[in-house]
């Protein structure tokens, strides 16, 4: 995707006027510059782009300009071009001086990292034809940038081609990418996407998902249980005792870790001792964590909430069969938005067309919140929640096989009303897995 040059005049300085008046005693004096309009301005831009600030005055004779960034003088022209090299908050101050005095205006600018002002799209890739990819949907351009991981890291890859990139999450300002079938686990800076560490690809690896416990350790699920991961060295340090077989989605809430097992349902692990404290059988779909710290899963024809303080379980009838994805694992089609829960009505193999919203009232599950039209079906997790924009993010392909998988749509719905806000259509065998949000 193209990066567009970002230029915007500082309009509020447009009326700096030099006023010359005469006193009663005929002694001339010069009035200091005066600013009309706002005295405090704000804006944002992304690293790699520039912001052009300019002062337009009627008469520039005998006027001296000074530009400072965070107190450091950076220019003396009537214009200044700001091109940040780091993300963060900056104060740019323009001071105009003449013989009568001076006046200043401060401009507050937040600089986004190269991959901050939007969300990641993790794609599993076309099995056997190429690796998974990382895309990025950018808020300001409303466009998807393709294969950004390998563009930022040209000396890195996500091979082998027989692996599938299936999971991503952001923890402690790091983006974790997890591959199945012999692929790597990669840790990159969440804002720049520069790779920092990895578990190398290796035959026998078959990872699923990862959750951070603290800044030093995480748990990594796999087809063979749950592994303890040292985040400093990216080495494995044993497994969770008593957990075998395929384990997929995993989340942390309060003092517990909740993992989804193909054989045992929900496994509740004490985050301090890493000992299994409880299992909740027959659950096949997880997890969503609402703002009240309840953890949500589904199985059979019921949705359950788990109080992450007491581990109390409550059941809600959903009226349809909940399906997992153990045959060809992908992250679960369930997500929280504040204290609401969205759950997809998927088929036993292929994606579904209906998304339900539970708002605490069982009546809210009587009809779908969103029903996909035409040939669209969900793929991968299919749904995600973008808190910054209060959007339900939906990924679809076309129903059927073959070339239908190359017909993709990204839909953004208002999470409160269900009104569709944006549609981005694109082509290619991406096979979307999950969206990842800052």
């Amino acid at each position: 995707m193209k990066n567009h040059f970002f230029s915007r005049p500082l309009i509020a300085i447009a009326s700096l006027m030099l006023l010359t008046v005469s006193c009663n005693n005929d002694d001339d004096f010069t009035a200091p510059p005066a600013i009309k309009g706002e005295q405090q301005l704000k804006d944002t831009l992304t690293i790699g782009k520039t912001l052009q600030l300019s002062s337009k005055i009627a008469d520039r004779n005998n006027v001296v300009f000074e530009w400072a960034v965070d107190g450091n003088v950076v220019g003396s022209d009537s214009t200044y071009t700001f091109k940040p090299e780091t993300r963060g908050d900056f104060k740019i101050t323009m001071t105009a001086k003449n013989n009568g005095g001076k006046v200043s205006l401060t401009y507050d600018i937040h600089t986004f990292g190269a991959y901050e002002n939007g969300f990641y799209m993790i794609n599993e890739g076309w099995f056997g034809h190429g690796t998974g990819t990382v895309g990025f949907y950018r808020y300001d351009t409303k466009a998807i940038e393709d294969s950004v991981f390998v563009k930022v890291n040209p000396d890195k890859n996500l091979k082998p081609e027989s692996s599938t990139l299936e999971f991503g999450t952001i923890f402690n300002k790091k983006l974790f990418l997890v591959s199945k079938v012999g692929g790597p686990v990669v840790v990159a800076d969440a804002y720049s996407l520069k790779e920092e560490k990895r578990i190398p690809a290796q035959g026998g690896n078959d990872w699923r998902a990862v959750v951070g416990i603290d800044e030093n350790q995480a748990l990594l699920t796999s087809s063979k249980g749950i592994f303890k991961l040292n985040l400093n060295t990216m080495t494995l340090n044993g497994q969770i005792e008593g957990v075998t077989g395929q384990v997929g989605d995993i989340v942390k809430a309060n003092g517990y870790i909740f993992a989804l097992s193909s054989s045992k349902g929900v496994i509740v692990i004490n985050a301090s001792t890493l000992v299994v404290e409880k299992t909740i059988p027959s659950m096949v779909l997880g997890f969503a964590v609402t703002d009240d710290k309840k953890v949500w899963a589904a199985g059979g024809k019921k949705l359950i909430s788990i109080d992450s303080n007491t581990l109390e379980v409550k059941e809600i009838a959903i009226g349809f069969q909940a399906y997992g994805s153990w045959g060809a694992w992908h992250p679960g089609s369930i997500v929280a938005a504040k204290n609401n829960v969205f759950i997809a009505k998927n088929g036993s193999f292929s994606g579904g067309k209906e998304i339900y919203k539970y708002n605490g009232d069982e009546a809210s599950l009587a009809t779908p919140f969103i029903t996909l039209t035409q040939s669209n079906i969900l793929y991968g997790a299919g749904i995600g929640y973008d808190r910054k924009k209060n959007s339900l993010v939906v990924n679809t392909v076309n129903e059927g096989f073959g070339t239908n998988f190359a017909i993709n749509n990204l839909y953004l719905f208002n999470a409160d009303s269900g009104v569709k806000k944006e549609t981005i259509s694109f082509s290619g065998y991406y096979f979307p897995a999950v969206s990842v949000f800052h």
Side-chain angles (χ1 to χ4, degrees), residues 73-145:
V73 176
V74 293
S76 58
D77 293 334
S78 61
T79 62
Y80 172 64
T81 300
F82 179 56
K83 187 176 181 179
E85 296 182 356
T86 58
R87 65 178 293 272
D89 295 306
F90 299 87
K91 284 187 179 294
I92 300 180
T93 302
M94 188 285 303
T95 302
K97 308 175 184 178
N98 65 9
N99 291 335
K102 65 180 180 179
V103 68
S104 297
L105 183 143
T106 299
Y107 203 41
D108 290 321
I109 298 177
H110 177 75
T111 302
F112 293 113
Y115 296 97
E116 181 177 0
N117 194 29
F119 59 83
Y120 291 105
M121 300 172 62
I122 310 303
N123 304 304
E124 65 182 38
W126 191 5
F127 180 76
H129 293 77
T131 68
T133 60
V134 179
F136 189 76
Y137 172 81
R138 200 172 291 280
Y139 294 140
D140 52 357
T141 63
K142 296 185 178 181
I144 299 169
E145 299 173 13

Side-chain angles (χ1 to χ4, degrees), residues 61 96 111 316 326 418:
N61 292 330
T111 302
I316 301 98
W326 296 120

Side-chain angles (χ1 to χ4, degrees), residues 293-416:
K293 296 301 180 182
K294 290 181 180 177
V295 178
W296 299 78
K301 292 186 177 181
K302 62 187 178 184
L303 177 69
I304 68 166
S305 69
I306 311 165
D307 188 311
S308 61
N309 284 306
T310 65
L311 301 186
E312 178 187 5
V313 177
K314 292 185 178 180
E315 298 182 356
I316 301 98
I318 54 176
F320 58 86
Q321 182 72 35
Y323 288 104
S325 57
W326 296 120
W329 185 84
H330 60 69
S333 301
I334 184 172
V335 67
K338 302 174 186 175
N339 283 323
N340 301 307
V341 178
F342 293 97
I343 180 171
K345 180 184 176 182
N346 282 339
S348 60
F349 177 77
S350 61
K353 299 177 74 70
E354 296 177 351
I355 301 167
Y356 288 77
K357 179 181 180 179
Y358 177 65
N359 62 11
D361 182 354
E362 288 196 32
S364 63
L365 292 167
T367 56
F369 181 67
I370 292 169
T371 300
L372 300 175
T373 58
Q374 300 175 339
S375 299
N376 291 174
I377 59 169
L378 299 170
Y379 193 89
I383 56 176
Y385 177 63
D386 185 352
R387 184 180 290 267
K388 285 186 178 180
K389 301 295 183 179
N390 192 34
S391 296
L392 185 67
V393 177
V394 176
N395 282 100
T396 73
V397 296
N398 262 22
E399 205 167 13
F401 297 95
T403 57
N404 286 291
F405 289 125
I407 301 171
N408 304 270
N409 284 294
L410 173 67
Y411 296 115
L412 306 181
F413 295 90
N414 182 289
D416 293 329

Side-chain angles (χ1 to χ4, degrees), residues 23 39 45 57 103 109 111 116 219 223 229 237 256-257 370:
C23 291
Q39 305 296 299
L45 79 162
I57 60 176
V103 68
I109 298 177
T111 302
E116 181 177 0
L219 293 181
S223 61
L229 174 63
N237 184 29
Y256 294 99
I257 294 164
I370 292 169

